[in-house]
Amino acid sequence: MDPYVIQMNSNSNLPSVLDVHVNLGGRSSVPGKMKGRKARWSVRPSDMSNKTFNPIRAIVDSMKVKPNPNKTMIALSIGDPTVFGNLPTDPEVTQAMKDALDSGKYNGYAPSIGYLSSREDIASYYHRPEAPLEAKDVILTSGCSQAIELCLAVLANPGQNILVPRPGFSLYRTLAESMGIEVKLYNLLPEKSWEIDLKQLESLIDEKTACLIVNNPSNPCGSVYSKSHLQKILAVAARQCVPILADEIYGDMVFSGSKFEPLATLSSNVPVLSCGGLAKRWLVPGWRLGWILIHDRRDIFGNEIRDGLVKLSQRILGPCTIVQGALKSILHRTPQDFYHNTLSFLKSNVDLCYDALAAIPGLRPVRPSGAMYLMVGIEMEHFPEFENDVEFTERLVAEQSVHCLPATCFEYPNFFRVVITVPTVMMLEACSRIQEFCELHYHCTEGSQEECDK
């Protein structure tokens, strides 16, 4: 008998459902009687889903507090520059998307790592003599967050560890732990404008360390590292032979008086995977186009890491093709005034917010030099009715309808993060309400009477 026989009932009156059995090797396979499996429902979430945890969502979603109904809510918590409509992208960027759509050329699949022409455009735009790039060094991704995910997935195995800044972007932990990768937190120093504690960083490195994440400019700190500090970070990585994942999504969002140095331009010895995207420079986070720039001038990664990134990119078949079609025009037709005006607005808001909060007893803001954020220390001894930064920010919502993220979200208690992209009038009002809140709850302590007498 043929080992593959399809048997169908021969009744002339066909049943409502066709009864089809496949006979393999002469033995009938009867549904529900599969060897080694009990016929019962047992659907459980995967280990990966159980290990996936977003601290921001967990903390924010657990806040049961309601805002003050007599005051309009001001959200200084959302890291999306488009929320309030005061920071639209440039008309040239929008037109580039319209042209790409109207062309009808970008409705199909692209290569999983992106169109060759789009990767050439990115390579040309971010090429530096000290850190040259070609199309083969560029992987296009669905936003910068997927770029980070692919880098972690290609560099680290379950059971290995990665080095992550504290305070730092919570997604690093979320992604790593879902993959079974251990997170080791290295400290940033607020008194040194959030520079890395290099000695403590190096003490964390062991034989299972797969990579070091350097986020510059920083979310949530808004810090921009000097060239000399970056060189010291690279010296640690070179000494310990640890590759770097450089999250540089805010690299083009630096205020006057500071300068962003792409990490890969400062060392030819340390292999660097640099992650970026359209989201922040062009104010279009929802368009989901990011990239990985592979800097490996000593050929330490070799072909294996590049091939691994290509394979991993094939899991979702790449980023949106329409955005890729618009990319060349976005990169080259956006006027300089657009970038200048965005940064001028952010710098003005930073100065306004910093000056206002620095004048409030009990708060210690740390002045940022880039990105879209400002971190504010809470002198908790002056606010004894609050146990921690989470309670402080909850009550701020309940009483003043101002929502800031408690820095516990970033592994850094007794601080909160302010997003500085809101309209100026809203920023002024928020600072005024924060002042009112602090004045109401501030308590003098021994040695602070001078503040209280003001």
Side-chain angles (χ1 to χ4, degrees):
M1 186 178 186
D2 191 299
Y4 300 99
V5 177
I6 295 180
Q7 301 174 333
M8 294 186 290
N9 5 2
S10 54
N11 296 347
S12 55
N13 297 324
L14 290 174
S16 57
V17 179
L18 190 63
D19 182 14
V20 180
H21 296 166
V22 180
N23 190 315
L24 302 176
R27 291 176 297 180
S28 176
S29 74
V30 181
K33 293 190 178 179
M34 295 171 63
K35 188 177 179 183
R37 179 178 172 95
K38 229 177 197 179
R40 61 183 175 84
W41 288 106
S42 180
V43 183
R44 297 286 181 271
S46 67
D47 288 345
M48 175 178 273
S49 68
N50 282 332
K51 290 176 183 173
T52 301
F53 174 78
N54 186 323
I56 294 180
R57 287 269 53 87
I59 292 169
V60 171
D61 291 348
S62 67
M63 286 183 169
K64 304 300 181 188
V65 65
K66 292 181 179 177
N68 184 334
N70 300 316
K71 297 192 176 189
T72 306
M73 185 69 174
I74 301 176
L76 304 180
S77 55
I78 307 167
D80 180 346
T82 72
V83 168
F84 296 98
N86 59 311
L87 288 173
T89 192
D90 191 80
E92 287 285 0
V93 177
T94 308
Q95 189 59 49
M97 280 288 276
K98 291 177 180 176
D99 292 345
L101 187 61
D102 289 343
S103 75
K105 295 178 181 177
Y106 305 106
N107 297 331
Y109 290 119
S112 64
I113 57 173
Y115 290 119
L116 175 61
S117 58
S118 301
R119 290 184 288 119
E120 287 173 340
D121 292 334
I122 291 294
S124 172
Y125 193 82
Y126 288 101
H127 171 93
R128 300 288 183 276
E130 321 90 288
L133 287 168
E134 301 175 36
K136 68 180 176 65
D137 303 316
V138 178
I139 307 278
L140 297 185
T141 61
S142 181
C144 187
S145 56
Q146 198 215 0
I148 294 166
E149 180 186 30
L150 294 185
C151 291
L152 290 179
V154 81
L155 291 175
N157 282 309
Q160 290 188 289
N161 64 69
I162 61 169
L163 306 177
V164 170
R166 173 173 53 200
F169 185 34
S170 62
L171 186 71
Y172 307 140
R173 179 185 283 280
T174 299
L175 292 172
E177 291 187 343
S178 73
M179 300 179 203
I181 300 163
E182 181 191 355
V183 168
K184 289 188 171 186
L185 299 170
Y186 66 82
N187 294 329
L188 307 184
L189 304 171
E191 67 276 12
K192 293 189 174 181
S193 299
W194 302 109
E195 285 190 347
I196 296 173
D197 182 338
L198 294 167
K199 189 174 181 181
Q200 185 255 350
L201 165 70
E202 192 159 9
S203 74
L204 297 174
I205 298 172
D206 61 25
E207 69 282 354
K208 290 187 176 180
T209 301
C211 80
L212 161 63
I213 296 181
V214 177
N215 179 206
N216 179 52
S218 163
N219 173 12
C221 302
S223 52
V224 180
Y225 291 151
S226 67
K227 183 175 182 178
S228 63
H229 188 60
L230 290 169
Q231 287 170 329
K232 291 173 185 173
I233 297 167
L234 285 160
V236 172
R239 209 159 40 239
Q240 300 293 341
C241 298
V242 175
I244 292 179
L245 192 172
D247 180 355
E248 299 181 326
I249 185 68
Y250 293 100
D252 297 300
M253 199 173 263
V254 173
F255 310 143
S256 57
S258 296
K259 185 186 178 189
F260 167 68
E261 304 275 359
L263 193 63
T265 62
L266 303 178
S267 171
S268 60
N269 298 326
V270 177
V272 175
L273 297 179
S274 173
C275 298
L278 290 183
K280 302 308 191 299
R281 180 163 170 77
W282 287 273
L283 305 176
V284 287
W287 290 12
R288 311 312 300 140
L289 185 72
W291 48 77
I292 302 166
L293 308 180
I294 305 169
H295 296 279
D296 183 29
R297 294 190 291 287
R298 288 274 305 276
D299 201 31
I300 292 164
F301 285 151
N303 291 328
E304 291 84 359
I305 295 297
R306 292 172 187 271
D307 292 347
L309 286 168
V310 172
K311 290 173 186 174
L312 289 168
S313 74
Q314 291 166 351
R315 296 193 302 171
I316 70 161
L317 300 180
C320 175
T321 52
I322 302 288
V323 187
Q324 291 185 62
L327 186 59
K328 190 181 191 73
S329 294
I330 291 171
L331 295 175
H332 298 292
R333 286 188 2 208
T334 304
Q336 287 300 314
D337 277 356
F338 166 74
Y339 307 128
H340 174 76
N341 293 340
T342 301
L343 291 175
S344 293
F345 169 79
L346 293 176
K347 178 67 163 65
S348 173
N349 251 19
V350 158
D351 291 343
L352 181 160
C353 183
Y354 176 84
D355 291 343
L357 298 184
I360 299 173
L363 298 186
R364 292 178 289 102
V366 182
R367 188 186 291 276
S369 301
M372 312 187 312
Y373 313 102
L374 179 146
M375 285 279 274
V376 184
I378 311 166
E379 294 175 341
M380 295 304 301
E381 67 272 18
H382 292 297
F383 301 98
E385 64 195 283
F386 307 127
E387 190 175 325
N388 52 39
D389 55 310
V390 176
E391 281 192 15
F392 182 97
T393 52
E394 277 183 336
R395 286 284 291 279
L396 183 57
V397 171
E399 295 179 20
Q400 297 290 342
S401 295
V402 174
H403 189 194
C404 302
L405 272 189
T408 293
C409 294
F410 309 107
E411 316 270 2
Y412 211 78
N414 302 333
F415 274 71
F416 63 87
R417 187 191 75 173
V418 174
V419 173
I420 59 169
T421 55
V422 301
T424 301
V425 173
M426 201 176 284
M427 180 62 78
L428 281 167
E429 173 65 17
C431 290
S432 174
R433 292 189 200 176
I434 292 170
Q435 179 177 355
E436 184 180 323
F437 175 82
C438 289
E439 286 175 353
L440 181 64
H441 295 287
Y442 184 89
H443 287 258
C444 294
T445 59
E446 194 175 335
S448 67
Q449 194 60 43
E450 193 177 311
E451 285 286 344
C452 297
D453 292 338
K454 284 183 181 179

